[in-house]
């Protein structure tokens, strides 16, 4: 894999159509299985091809000036897939970190992993920790890998930690506010997503970033993930640039 941009190329970044680039894009990479099925291939072949698309979209994110790219790679519910598919996906994660980490680092990508570490094999945990440690000072792009991620479990864990703090007497229940929850999530140091893209035509969140998506813009892409490419990504960024985000306020066009 080759990335052409690195941290020193920041000045060469191309803004999207009207310059309004989402700071944080999160993608639900869906449709690998259907892509393979349509070709008479095993589902795992769809996952293998899907991993190749990741490299291209990471590169395009750097070029367009996206600061954070979150990729939903494996959900806490995906454990209920056939064991052979689960073990292929775990192997794919191992291979991805082993083969791509040096290049990601060279290109200024900071890797962050969100999701439950419990339940992951110790070698995978070590690989993920190594990826985070090695790249922690990089600034070209933050790549957030959501692996063994489930938003409800993340919220349950945050609430438990709040309860522990209250029980320990270090937190007044009256002081519990939205920030108190935000700072106890896996994403405490990551801004909320501005744009959530889901491929394969499905229009649901599937337990992804439920809290963080409160004011995200959604973009549903019909292409299956293995067919996704830079042009499709650019199209989503261009659509985002035309959206008006109001955050509950009155539109600037509608004077009170
Ligand atoms: C997304 O593709 C990858 C993962 C969920 C790991 P799918 O495997 O869900 O593909 P479809 O939705 O069955 O086509
Ligand atoms: C969501 O896709 C999880 C990932 C993309 C990793 P799924 O394919 O698992 O979601 P559902 O089952 O269609 O809701
Ligand atoms: Mg799916």
């Amino acid at each position: 894999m080759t990335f052409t941009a690195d941290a020193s190329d920041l000045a060469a970044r191309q803004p999207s159509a009207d310059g309004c680039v989402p700071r944080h894009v999160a993608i639900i990479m869906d449709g690998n299985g259907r892509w393979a099925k349509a070709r008479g291939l095993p589902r795992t072949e769809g996952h293998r091809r899907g991993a190749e698309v990741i490299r291209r979209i990471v590169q395009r994110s750097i070029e367009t000036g996206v600061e954070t790219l979150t990729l939903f790679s494996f959900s806490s519910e995906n454990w209920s897939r056939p064991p052979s598919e689960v073990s292929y996906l775990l192997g794919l994660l191992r291979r991805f970190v082993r083969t791509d980490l040096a290049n990601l680092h060279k290109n200024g990508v900071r890797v962050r992993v969100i999701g439950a570490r419990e339940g992951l094999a110790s070698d995978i945990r070590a690989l993920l920790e190594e990826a985070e440690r090695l790249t922690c000072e990089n600034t070209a792009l933050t790549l957030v890998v959501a692996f063994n991620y489930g938003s409800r479990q993340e919220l349950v864990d945050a609430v438990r930690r709040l309860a522990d703090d209250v029980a320990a007497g270090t937190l007044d229940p009256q002081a519990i506010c939205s920030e108190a929850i935000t700072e106890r999530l896996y994403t405490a140091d990551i801004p909320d997503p501005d744009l959530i893209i889901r491929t394969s035509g499905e229009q649901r969140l599937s337990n992804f970033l439920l809290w963080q998506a409160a004011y995200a813009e959604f973009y549903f892409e019909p292409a299956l993930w293995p067919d996704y490419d830079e042009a499709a990504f650019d199209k989503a960024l261009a659509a985002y640039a035309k959206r008006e985000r109001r955050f509950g306020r009155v539109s600037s066009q509608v004077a009170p």
Side-chain angles (χ1 to χ4, degrees):
M1 173 192 64
T2 52
F3 289 111
T4 53
D6 67 20
S8 64
D9 286 334
L10 293 186
R13 284 176 166 182
Q14 311 150 27
S16 69
D18 68 0
C20 182
V21 180
R23 287 183 64 199
H24 180 179
V25 178
I27 307 183
I28 303 173
M29 308 181 290
D30 199 12
N32 294 352
R34 275 164 283 168
W35 182 92
K37 192 173 176 213
R39 288 161 180 77
L41 298 169
R43 290 177 57 85
T44 49
E45 186 55 19
H47 297 314
R48 194 184 66 76
R49 292 289 293 256
E52 289 169 13
V53 176
I54 289 176
R55 299 179 174 116
R56 297 169 62 170
I57 299 307
V58 166
Q59 167 69 15
R60 191 68 192 141
S61 296
I62 295 172
E63 290 166 1
T64 51
V66 167
E67 291 171 21
T68 303
L69 174 70
T70 296
L71 299 175
F72 199 8
S73 310
F74 189 85
S75 77
S76 43
E77 289 73 29
N78 288 148
W79 292 106
S80 54
R81 294 188 176 201
S84 58
E85 181 169 344
V86 169
S87 82
Y88 185 87
L89 289 166
L90 295 171
L92 204 56
L93 176 71
R94 282 188 184 96
R95 280 204 297 286
F96 187 82
V97 177
R98 286 195 189 118
T99 59
D100 287 32
L101 181 59
N103 235 316
L104 290 167
H105 184 45
K106 191 172 115 228
N107 289 286
V109 176
R110 177 172 77 120
V111 178
R112 281 275 284 106
V113 183
I114 58 170
R117 301 287 167 106
E118 308 82 50
L120 290 179
S122 59
D123 72 303
I124 292 187
R125 278 154 76 153
L127 273 176
L128 299 179
E129 277 157 26
E130 162 67 4
E132 290 187 313
R133 193 198 51 74
L134 177 72
T135 63
C136 67
E137 290 184 352
N138 292 341
T139 55
L141 173 77
T142 297
L143 173 63
V144 182
V145 180
F147 199 91
N148 194 19
Y149 176 83
S151 196
R152 285 191 171 177
Q153 190 56 47
E154 177 185 36
L155 283 161
V156 167
D157 289 346
V159 170
R160 263 193 207 135
R161 288 209 255 156
L162 282 174
D164 285 346
D165 292 346
V166 169
T170 54
L171 179 66
D172 177 353
Q174 296 308 315
I176 296 175
C177 55
S178 157
E179 287 71 33
I181 294 173
T182 296
E183 68 196 21
R184 285 169 176 81
L185 300 175
Y186 303 130
T187 52
D189 58 336
I190 299 164
D192 284 346
D194 299 297
L195 173 65
I196 295 181
I197 299 169
R198 183 167 188 151
T199 60
S200 87
E202 307 296 353
Q203 302 191 0
R204 54 178 172 265
L205 274 175
S206 301
N207 202 14
F208 185 52
L209 301 178
L210 301 180
W211 174 272
Q212 298 88 337
Y215 273 100
E217 295 292 325
F218 289 86
Y219 186 89
F220 297 108
E221 160 66 47
L224 304 173
W225 179 250
D227 289 328
Y228 198 67
D229 61 11
E230 294 85 347
F233 186 70
D234 289 354
K235 229 170 101 189
L237 295 197
Y240 172 85
K242 292 202 188 81
R243 305 264 179 101
E244 186 196 0
R245 302 182 74 189
R246 288 195 285 275
F247 300 98
R249 295 188 290 255
V250 173
S251 160
S252 54
Q253 281 83 52
V254 185

